[in-house]
Amino acid sequence: MSDGVKLSIVVPCYNEEEVLHETTKELTNILSGLMNASKISKNSKIVFVDDGSKDKTWALISEFSDKYNCVSGVKLSRNFGHQGALLAGVTTASEDSDAVITIDADLQDDVNAIPKMVNEYLQGAEIVYGVRNNRDTDTAFKRGTAEMFYRFMGFLGVKLVPDSADYRLMSQRACKVLLSYKERNLFLRGIVPLVGFKSAKVFYARKERFAGVSKYPLRKMIKFAIDGITSFSIVPIKMIMGLGFFIVLISIVLLIYSLVQKINGNVVEGWSSLMISIWALGGVQLISISVIGEYVGKIFSEVKGRPRFTIERDIYTEKTQQENKR
């Protein structure tokens, strides 16, 4: 069984020309070691997914695919985002692979955890999560906000694997179930646990980025968190109702207080309190409308049913077809 396991490592790339040489070197060494140990098939592949890069990323992928038999690539027609690129790679590779590993190109996720993931797969696990054993490379702000996010998602009833990103192994069967989820608003960290099947965890120390800059600045991280929350729970809308009842309760208390003060002859014209009330209620209303609008916007994007990605060039399939003809 172990000699025939075909493994594909999917690597989403967006303007990663500075790291691709080192990433290719490390991943090919990992694949070679697993092949020599007869744990995976000689036809196992690295699948780089170019997510509409504007630098030399695709040129390097094409060069490496010509140079190394185990390297292939998929070029998307434009930038579809990290989650879309991941899904494109899984869709392409899972068709003829026994297992698929997804990992980012920046080498922050330790590639030495891959053999451990393969071992867990060979022992029967169909989903193996890569989990950080520390967050020493993150800033205090990022560590704190990440912990708050996981706790809040847990409060909303969303099952996530804390401190795991998109570094995981999935069997072909698990990939097929994942691909049966058709939503356009992708939050794979929340969808994968819904797949079920036997799972395992492999712990690793997260490294500093090898080169280049992060493709997830604060703005994108906030958007990613909002997508995760609104894609899996309607609790925020229910919280708006609770907030509305709370404000009504406060207004009733203030009304009673005002009447008592008027009866006692202690009426004071309160311009400040009036303005504070107007601004406070106006802010609450705007926030409430924006939360509802977020959900309406997701419905709008879902009902259009547009493709989640479009492939311009697929070297992986081309290579697979050539190998099958031999």
Side-chain angles (χ1 to χ4, degrees):
M1 176 183 172
S2 60
D3 289 337
V5 173
K6 182 176 180 181
L7 174 70
S8 290
I9 303 177
V10 172
V11 188
C13 305
Y14 179 66
N15 295 338
E16 299 287 6
E17 64 176 357
E18 296 179 64
V19 301
L20 272 183
H21 282 90
E22 187 65 22
T23 303
T24 303
K25 175 185 173 183
E26 293 207 16
L27 290 178
T28 51
N29 286 339
I30 291 292
L31 276 189
S32 297
L34 289 169
M35 290 177 185
N36 293 335
S38 298
K39 290 188 175 181
I40 62 174
S41 165
K42 300 293 183 181
N43 291 328
S44 296
K45 294 283 190 295
I46 301 166
V47 188
F48 290 108
V49 182
D50 179 20
D51 186 25
S53 298
K54 296 178 175 62
D55 59 4
K56 298 178 181 178
T57 295
W58 179 248
L60 288 173
I61 293 172
S62 300
E63 177 187 330
F64 295 147
S65 67
D66 292 335
K67 184 176 180 181
Y68 303 104
N69 184 56
C70 65
V71 176
S72 61
V74 173
K75 179 176 174 60
L76 302 186
S77 61
R78 62 173 175 83
N79 179 256
F80 285 87
H82 180 264
Q83 300 291 280
L86 272 177
L87 199 68
V90 171
T91 302
T92 302
S94 63
E95 292 183 4
D96 68 335
S97 298
D98 298 300
V100 175
I101 289 177
T102 57
I103 184 174
D104 290 341
D106 56 19
L107 296 178
Q108 287 189 279
D109 297 321
D110 187 5
V111 298
N112 293 307
I114 292 176
K116 299 177 185 178
M117 290 183 174
V118 173
N119 287 337
E120 292 289 349
Y121 168 76
L122 294 175
Q123 292 172 18
E126 298 206 47
I127 300 176
V128 184
Y129 298 99
V131 181
R132 307 174 195 176
N133 56 19
N134 64 70
R135 283 185 169 269
D136 294 342
T137 58
D138 293 341
T139 62
F141 174 77
K142 191 170 183 179
R143 286 196 300 270
T145 53
E147 184 176 350
M148 287 175 57
F149 173 71
Y150 284 116
R151 286 185 177 181
F152 186 62
M153 292 295 280
F155 169 75
L156 297 180
V158 182
K159 294 182 179 180
L160 295 179
V161 179
D163 295 323
S164 70
D166 289 304
Y167 185 24
R168 65 178 73 89
L169 178 148
M170 299 184 71
S171 69
Q172 185 183 59
R173 183 168 69 152
C175 288
K176 287 182 178 179
V177 175
L178 172 65
L179 297 176
S180 70
Y181 289 76
K182 299 300 182 183
E183 54 254 56
R184 267 68 188 167
N185 299 286
L186 293 170
F187 184 68
L188 295 178
R189 299 181 196 184
I191 298 176
V192 172
L194 297 178
V195 171
F197 302 133
K198 182 180 178 180
S199 65
K201 297 177 182 178
V202 168
F203 294 89
Y204 67 95
R206 189 166 170 84
K207 303 178 181 178
E208 295 285 351
R209 184 181 174 87
F210 177 76
V213 296
S214 172
K215 305 305 184 298
Y216 262 90
L218 179 61
R219 176 180 59 83
K220 283 191 175 182
M221 290 297 294
I222 293 174
K223 182 180 182 301
F224 187 64
I226 292 174
D227 283 342
I229 293 168
T230 55
S231 293
F232 283 86
S233 177
I234 60 170
V235 170
I237 290 182
K238 293 181 179 179
M239 291 173 66
I240 290 175
M241 182 182 293
L243 180 62
F245 282 120
F246 179 68
I247 291 174
V248 169
L249 180 63
I250 291 177
S251 66
I252 292 173
V253 172
L254 289 175
L255 176 62
I256 296 172
Y257 174 77
S258 299
L259 290 174
V260 171
Q261 290 294 95
K262 184 175 183 179
I263 293 171
N264 294 333
N266 297 325
V267 179
V268 178
E269 296 198 8
W271 181 87
S272 299
S273 60
L274 177 63
M275 294 302 295
I276 290 172
S277 299
I278 291 173
W279 280 97
L281 287 174
V284 169
Q285 289 172 344
L286 288 174
I287 292 172
S288 302
I289 292 171
S290 66
V291 171
I292 295 171
E294 183 72 25
Y295 284 93
V296 173
K298 277 184 163 45
I299 296 171
F300 178 66
S301 63
E302 291 289 341
V303 298
K304 287 186 291 187
R306 292 177 179 174
R308 294 181 287 187
F309 55 85
T310 305
I311 295 176
E312 180 179 325
R313 174 87 188 277
D314 184 357
I315 297 177
Y316 177 87
T317 301
E318 293 171 9
K319 277 194 168 185
T320 301
Q321 290 174 347
Q322 291 174 0
E323 291 171 356
N324 292 336
K325 289 178 181 179
R326 293 173 186 172

